Amino acid sequence: MIQYGHFIGGKHVKGKSGRTADVFQPLDGTVRAKVALASKAELAEAVANAKAAQPAWAATNPQRRVRVLMKFLELVARDNDELAEILAREHGKTLPDAKGDILRGVEVVEFAIGIPHLMKGEFTEGAGPGIDLFSMRQPLGVVAGITPFNFPAMIPMWKFAPAIACGNAFILKPSERDPGVPMRLAELMLEAGLPAGVLNVVNGDKEAVDAILDHHDISAVGFVGSSNIAQYIYERAAQTGKRCQCFGGAKNHMIIMPDADMDQTVDALIGAGYGAAGERCMAVSVAVPVGKGTADTLMEKLVPRVENLKIGPSTEPSADFGPLVTAAALERVKNYVEIGIKEGATLAVDGRGFKMQGYENGFYMGGCLFDNVTADMRIYKEEIFGPVLSVVRAHDFDEAVRLPSEHEYGNGVAIFTRDGDAAREFASRVHVGMVGINVPIPVPVSYYTFGGWKRSGFGDLNQYGPDSVRFYTKTKTVTSRWPSGVKEGAEFAMPTMK
């Protein structure tokens, strides 16, 4: 059985707390590994290593820092199949989906390679008599990322790549459910030439999270997970003076206008709603057809597609999606389906009874589809995080805009239509952070930025893109004058550029 400890100071170290957690293999329900759960003292050891390594790394010129990231990209490409295999076995997503997880992380590393340009400051000659002004961006020091189970490659790279490129040292606390890929990424960064201690991986649970939030040498924290925990981390980090960005839950809507290409829409909805067994913060979990005719046509086409979804083990490349991450996650999703039935929604497709032949102990569930869901139901208001799609019928365009705008989550939304005016108005009016027009999962490319609104995001700056450089650096502004030999005498008034 695999034993995961921590990666501190460029070395694998065994856990010392005496506490461990099981890492399951969702495809068959077996325990694949044991992972150590760090104590406060172990987190402090990682921070001490990071603090010692950071000044020399910050003093390394940006081009040389970038060369490490370029080599890292080569190594990820070399070991792509291995990384995808680990990811699929510990998370449950299919191998093609696992490779997509890795690729979207790689794209942010590619963006971070532009850091020599992105960290350039500003300069003004002659801002006053003999006075020049310039600004510079400098790293914060030691920063940390707390990342979720559902993207164990992508989100760690979203966090550590720009942070390290900016000259910081990084503490990564990945999910204890699937730590294998984050540990391997740290090894590859070391192999790429990153100095020991600049990237440390500390596995753990709430004790490790609280230790990160309370440690005075950690200057910033990034988090992705559920909204309640995101708010907790944001508030506790603020109390200790840390810079913080926290991304929470989602209830992403897809608006379907009467003029939409229904076959294209259904294809998009099936992939966005059921891919990765719905365990994505950008999954479409609510379909909003506008008008009775649109809704009836949608359901007519959607029901057989959901009934014929191909569920299989993570290692089956032709499977549409694999198992959920744990038995507890599976039970939670099934409970939500029962809640929806009791609330009066119409369960058009029930996938709860699905069993995978030969993998009866795996954490599998078929696709579920609800119709006639209303905005007062829990299955509409709460994030289910499973292969469950709810259809909420809207009477008109204004109601379709209002539904996602008034929901407490504001991560992503999509509209499918042939009408450019309707699409433009929707994009302008809807109160959601990321909008797709005939694009079901509107995750921006790496040189823009990712972030939701309302209870989907806490903090002023988003993930990756230009915001990540702002988040992981502080601006210093220098006002410079070299005396010309003329003595002007003391001035007691507020200085101005006269």
Side-chain angles (χ1 to χ4, degrees):
M1 181 178 293
I2 300 168
Q3 300 288 336
Y4 292 123
H6 314 292
F7 193 81
I8 298 174
K11 297 181 294 185
H12 286 281
V13 295
K14 293 182 179 179
K16 301 173 185 174
S17 70
R19 298 188 307 122
T20 62
D22 291 335
V23 177
F24 290 95
Q25 184 164 264
L27 66 88
D28 59 11
T30 59
V31 176
R32 169 181 165 86
K34 294 280 187 181
V35 60
L37 302 177
S39 65
K40 184 177 180 180
E42 288 169 295
L43 185 278
E45 180 186 349
V47 175
N49 273 271
K51 186 178 179 181
Q54 191 271 332
W57 178 243
T60 303
N61 67 52
Q63 306 96 295
R64 293 185 182 276
R65 295 202 298 263
V66 161
R67 287 172 195 161
V68 172
L69 294 180
M70 292 172 71
K71 181 62 177 178
F72 172 72
L73 290 176
E74 291 180 16
L75 298 176
V76 170
R78 180 196 71 187
D79 294 349
N80 191 261
D81 289 344
E82 176 201 349
L83 291 166
E85 176 81 12
I86 297 169
L87 198 160
R89 288 194 176 276
E90 292 187 359
H91 174 277
K93 63 179 67 178
T94 63
L95 283 168
D97 196 18
K99 290 184 176 182
D101 184 332
I102 296 164
L103 179 59
R104 289 309 295 254
V106 159
E107 289 170 354
V108 171
V109 182
E110 292 170 341
F111 168 80
I113 285 172
I115 209 68
H117 170 73
L118 296 165
M119 282 188 71
K120 288 190 301 187
E122 300 170 314
F123 181 85
T124 299
E125 182 182 14
I131 294 176
D132 300 329
L133 250 69
F134 63 94
S135 67
M136 59 182 81
R137 287 196 173 275
Q138 295 184 326
L140 301 178
V142 179
V143 299
I146 302 165
T147 59
F149 77 87
N150 58 324
F151 287 98
M154 181 182 80
I155 296 180
M157 284 191 270
W158 282 11
K159 296 294 187 186
F160 73 66
I164 288 172
C166 288
N168 298 286
F170 200 88
I171 308 293
L172 174 62
K173 206 301 287 183
S175 172
E176 63 274 26
R177 297 181 189 178
D178 45 11
V181 169
M183 293 288 280
R184 188 76 186 102
L185 293 176
E187 292 174 344
L188 295 180
M189 283 291 284
L190 188 72
E191 185 180 346
L194 188 70
V198 175
L199 175 59
N200 302 274
V201 181
V202 178
N203 289 304
D205 53 6
K206 186 178 185 298
E207 183 174 339
V209 169
D210 286 345
I212 287 170
L213 299 177
D214 295 342
H215 201 293
H216 57 86
D217 284 329
I218 294 177
S219 300
V221 179
F223 169 81
V224 179
S226 70
S227 287
N228 288 340
I229 298 175
Q231 184 171 357
Y232 166 80
I233 289 175
Y234 184 72
E235 291 174 350
R236 186 157 175 167
Q239 289 171 1
T240 55
K242 292 175 174 36
R243 190 177 289 187
C244 195
Q245 54 172 198
C246 293
F247 296 93
K251 203 71 178 180
N252 305 311
H253 296 58
M254 180 191 286
I255 314 304
I256 300 140
M257 297 297 290
D259 67 340
D261 181 321
M262 196 57 72
D263 290 329
Q264 180 194 47
T265 299
V266 170
D267 282 343
L269 198 48
I270 284 288
Y274 297 99
E279 292 178 321
R280 294 171 175 160
C281 66
M282 290 297 287
V284 171
S285 53
V286 181
V288 183
V290 178
K292 184 179 185 302
T294 308
D296 290 345
T297 302
L298 176 70
M299 290 300 297
E300 181 183 339
K301 289 180 174 289
L302 200 52
V303 167
R305 293 290 299 275
V306 177
E307 290 175 335
N308 290 297
L309 284 166
K310 184 175 181 180
I311 299 108
S314 315
T315 50
E316 173 51 60
S318 64
D320 294 322
F321 65 87
L324 280 81
V325 68
T326 62
L330 174 61
E331 191 61 29
R332 178 178 179 273
V333 175
K334 287 183 175 180
N335 286 341
Y336 266 110
V337 175
E338 189 61 36
I339 288 168
I341 295 169
K342 290 178 180 177
E343 289 180 318
T346 304
L347 185 59
V349 182
D350 186 355
R352 289 174 295 172
F354 178 83
K355 291 290 183 183
M356 186 73 216
Q357 187 174 358
Y359 298 89
E360 286 79 9
N361 293 323
F363 311 136
Y364 297 92
M365 179 174 171
C368 291
L369 175 64
F370 278 108
D371 193 7
N372 301 308
V373 176
T374 57
D376 60 338
M377 295 179 179
R378 281 184 62 189
I379 60 167
Y380 173 74
K381 293 189 288 187
E382 299 175 13
E383 185 177 35
I384 297 174
F385 225 60
V388 180
L389 178 64
S390 296
V391 175
V392 180
R393 296 174 176 235
H395 294 94
D396 53 31
F397 178 75
D398 284 339
E399 184 181 2
V401 175
R402 191 169 62 250
L403 282 164
S405 295
E406 293 180 353
H407 202 285
E408 69 169 337
Y409 295 125
N411 210 39
V413 68
I415 182 169
F416 273 64
T417 181
R418 291 186 174 100
D419 187 333
D421 184 54
R424 188 172 186 273
E425 182 180 353
F426 179 81
S428 177
R429 285 175 54 187
V430 73
H431 195 61
V432 173
M434 293 174 283
V435 181
I437 297 172
N438 298 315
V439 174
I441 303 180
V443 178
V445 294
S446 62
Y447 44 90
Y448 276 70
T449 190
F450 178 106
W453 291 2
K454 297 176 282 187
R455 280 184 57 78
S456 291
F458 298 83
D460 296 327
L461 293 170
N462 289 338
Q463 298 185 94
Y464 67 71
D467 268 13
S468 66
V469 181
R470 299 184 188 103
F471 182 75
Y472 290 118
T473 60
K474 52 196 174 188
T475 302
K476 181 180 289 182
T477 306
V478 180
T479 304
S480 169
R481 179 173 65 182
W482 296 98
S484 61
V486 179
K487 187 173 182 180
E488 298 176 349
E491 292 188 10
F492 295 93
M494 180 67 184
T496 61
M497 297 300 178
K498 55 190 176 183

